[in-house]
Amino acid sequence: MGKLARRRLGTVTLIFFLGILVGSVFSQAVGLFLPEGSTAHQLFVQYLSFGFGPAHLNLIIFDVTLGFHIHVNLLSVIGIFLVAQVLRWYR
């Protein structure tokens, strides 16, 4: 893998995680003002979860537990797009 490919992969990863973070913060803020159970609340606050649950590995000397979940909703997708545009403008 060349230097340029690693840089692009790093940039895409950064955009993805920063976008989800920004979208999640906005989602929580919007959720404070929308009535629970409304269509708008479901659209902006509810999320889909991707990842894998806890995987346990017992090696007698030590025990390792790994797990990873990403919660994605509409505002997270919008956040990914906004972060991508800001980073594109910043360069």
Side-chain angles (χ1 to χ4, degrees):
M1 190 183 297
K3 185 177 177 181
L4 186 59
R6 277 184 281 165
R7 179 181 286 174
R8 286 186 181 160
L9 179 62
T11 303
V12 168
T13 304
L14 177 71
I15 289 169
F16 183 72
F17 284 112
L18 280 179
I20 287 180
L21 182 66
V22 168
S24 295
V25 168
F26 283 131
S27 175
Q28 292 299 315
V30 167
L32 295 174
F33 299 106
L34 295 175
E36 195 166 331
S38 68
T39 304
H41 187 273
Q42 291 176 354
L43 182 66
F44 292 119
V45 178
Q46 286 187 346
Y47 57 84
L48 295 174
S49 181
F50 300 100
F52 60 92
H56 302 285
L57 179 62
N58 187 356
L59 298 174
I60 308 293
I61 297 173
F62 59 92
D63 194 12
V64 178
T65 304
L66 299 172
F68 185 75
H69 286 275
I70 295 177
H71 303 274
V72 179
N73 60 11
L74 179 62
L75 288 178
S76 295
V77 174
I78 293 170
I80 291 169
F81 176 75
L82 289 176
V83 167
Q85 295 304 313
V86 168
L87 287 178
R88 179 195 245 179
W89 171 76
Y90 181 70
R91 288 183 178 198

